[in-house]
Amino acid sequence: MLTSLALIFLVGLTMAGICSKIKLPRIIGMLVTGIVLGPYVLNFLDSKILGISSELRSLALIIILIKAGLSLNIADLKKVGRPALMMSFVPACFEILGYTLLAPLFLGVTRGEAALMGSVLAAVSPAVVVPRMVKLMDEKYGTEKSIPQMILAGASLDDVFVIVLFSTFCGMAQGGEASLMNFVNIPVSIALGILVGALFGVILTGIFEFAHNSGNSIRNSLKVIIILGVSLVLYSLEKGLDGIIAISGLLAVMGMSTVINMKCRKDMTADLSVKYGKLWLAAEVILFVLVGAAVDIRYTMQAGLSAIALILTVLVIRSIGVWLCLLGTALNTKERIFCVISYLPKATVQAAIGSVPLSLGLGCGNIILSVAVLAILITAPLGAFGMDSTYRKFLKHETG
């Protein structure tokens, strides 16, 4: 396992550096590293590390979401409440509808199978989007109109919405029926995640401030560990309460760190944000290399040109959904185009659930996994490159 970790860090960082030198997003180098080192090409990664790949990817996501919460300004988010809320479900609905209508024509699947395919592919990738929005907030690009905050919030909620729909369509594909409770669980999961996270944020803030006022101040490095530990507990609640009550663990983590950002001293939260930014340097490599390792490149050949045409066509439909969410806002054309680009990438969710229909023995499992793999390979680099190459040109830099 230690050799595998060494390969992940050294080869991943080397490939990321090469891509950066030739003006490509670092993520491409990391994804390629994972694909090549993974079990479907060279098979250099220990099966033990692949066995905990999902947990390691979740840990990396938790770290960047804590960093996002510590950088998020609620006052700014309130300015874009309506479009942020709409972006959490409208683009995904457009994409699912696009696959439902077009996949039978392009790939010969049934409407039900097409809807299931759409629910696998509809989620935007927080792993690609969130760190870039955090960077924009730190560098103050687009912050005057709260653009990164809006995209960050919408992308975080989008995943909850899509995963619940995926579970519903999976049940229907297995011969079940759509339950009203499945749809009720969407707002319940979002609301409970935010509320529970906020509660823990208030508790931690009280502990930190009490220690500071009593002269026994907790070092910021220890606070990083405490916050991370509580975040892991919050994330675990989602699985622990599965079947009892719906709660979004990732939103709980982000809610907690946002409350800490709001209530604690600014010098402390700024230092915590810097420390989590340093943790992200290692977490980013683990996340994207392991996402690449989860991609079975063999399935891309099965999908063919029809699948590529389908993915690109439905991306246009999804983009129309994003554009509609931004009607009535103060954003200009370039800023809206940037928002559309930000909602293109797929990666983490598709790597996590793309193989589920196949593991359930569904006849459409192979083609869904094939399209999911292709979508990651096409949209993750496309979205990352698009955001990295346009944000300085399309977004206003806020000075001071």
Side-chain angles (χ1 to χ4, degrees):
M1 186 183 287
L2 293 178
T3 304
S4 294
L5 281 173
L7 287 172
I8 287 171
F9 283 120
L10 297 178
V11 180
L13 285 172
T14 300
M15 289 296 293
I18 291 171
C19 285
S20 184
K21 285 289 184 184
I22 58 176
K23 306 301 181 184
L24 290 174
R26 290 164 54 84
I27 180 182
I28 295 177
M30 296 176 201
L31 285 173
V32 170
T33 299
I35 291 170
V36 174
L37 296 181
Y40 307 110
V41 182
L42 296 180
N43 195 24
F44 280 178
L45 299 181
D46 193 319
S47 59
K48 292 178 182 176
I49 204 165
L50 294 174
I52 59 169
S53 172
S54 176
E55 287 76 11
L56 290 173
R57 283 181 287 163
S58 297
L59 176 61
L61 269 179
I62 286 168
I63 288 170
I64 194 58
L65 283 171
I66 295 172
K67 163 75 172 163
L70 291 172
S71 305
L72 193 61
N73 188 320
I74 291 295
D76 288 341
L77 187 57
K78 287 179 179 177
K79 299 176 187 175
V80 289
R82 179 190 62 81
L85 180 62
M86 290 183 68
M87 287 177 74
S88 70
F89 68 94
V90 172
C93 287
F94 269 66
E95 187 158 7
I96 292 172
L97 180 62
Y99 277 105
T100 304
L101 295 176
L102 298 178
L105 300 176
F106 281 79
L107 302 175
V109 296
T110 67
R111 293 281 182 210
E113 291 169 343
L116 179 58
M117 180 184 292
S119 67
V120 170
L121 293 160
V124 70
S125 172
V128 180
V129 174
V130 172
R132 282 168 172 76
M133 294 308 112
V134 172
K135 178 184 177 184
L136 294 188
M137 288 189 286
D138 288 344
E139 295 183 6
K140 296 191 179 300
Y141 276 93
T143 49
E144 186 177 333
K145 295 182 181 178
S146 306
I147 294 169
Q149 291 93 327
M150 175 183 67
I151 295 170
L152 177 63
S156 301
L157 295 172
D158 167 275
D159 283 359
V160 178
F161 176 75
V162 171
I163 289 171
V164 171
L165 287 183
F166 169 72
S167 301
T168 302
F169 287 132
C170 258
M172 292 170 65
Q174 290 177 286
E177 294 182 359
S179 167
L180 178 62
M181 276 307 299
N182 289 340
F183 295 99
V184 171
N185 279 339
I186 295 172
V188 170
S189 174
I190 292 170
L192 273 182
I194 294 172
L195 286 174
V196 171
L199 174 62
F200 274 85
V202 169
I203 292 170
L204 285 182
T205 299
I207 293 171
F208 295 157
E209 291 301 315
F210 176 79
H212 177 75
N213 294 333
S214 63
N216 298 306
S217 184
I218 303 170
R219 291 173 56 191
N220 285 347
S221 297
L222 286 178
K223 289 173 186 171
V224 167
I225 298 171
I226 292 168
I227 292 170
L228 183 57
V230 174
S231 297
L232 293 173
V233 172
L234 290 175
Y235 182 75
S236 300
L237 278 178
E238 184 170 348
K239 288 185 179 178
L241 297 175
D242 188 31
I244 301 171
I245 191 166
I247 179 170
S248 170
L250 290 178
L251 283 179
V253 170
M254 195 166 164
M256 179 191 67
S257 56
T258 302
V259 168
I260 292 172
N261 180 30
M262 292 168 57
K263 292 188 168 293
C264 283
R265 290 170 290 109
K266 292 303 174 188
D267 61 324
M268 187 197 87
T269 54
D271 188 44
L272 289 176
S273 181
V274 169
K275 290 181 184 300
Y276 274 107
K278 292 176 180 177
L279 273 180
W280 172 245
L281 292 176
E284 178 187 32
V285 183
I286 292 174
L287 175 61
F288 290 118
V289 171
L290 290 179
V291 166
V295 171
D296 190 342
I297 198 74
R298 296 172 299 179
Y299 284 107
T300 58
M301 301 303 294
Q302 296 181 18
L305 294 176
S306 296
I308 296 174
L310 174 64
I311 291 166
L312 296 176
T313 303
V314 176
L315 281 179
V316 174
I317 296 173
R318 178 186 182 86
S319 299
I320 293 170
V322 176
W323 197 273
L324 288 176
C325 294
L326 302 174
L327 293 178
T329 65
L331 274 61
N332 60 38
T333 301
K334 287 184 177 180
E335 291 164 340
R336 294 183 190 200
I337 292 172
F338 179 81
C339 292
V340 168
I341 294 169
S342 300
Y343 256 56
L344 294 180
K346 323 282 182 186
T348 15
V349 175
Q350 289 69 31
I353 67 175
S355 61
V356 172
L358 182 61
S359 67
L360 293 174
L362 299 177
C364 58
N366 255 327
I367 189 63
I368 288 178
L369 180 56
S370 302
V371 177
V373 169
L374 267 179
I376 293 171
L377 294 176
I378 293 170
T379 65
L382 181 65
F385 180 75
M387 285 184 276
D388 292 347
S389 61
T390 61
Y391 78 92
R392 294 180 187 275
K393 301 171 186 174
F394 287 7
L395 302 182
K396 183 179 178 182
H397 186 217
E398 188 179 355
T399 54

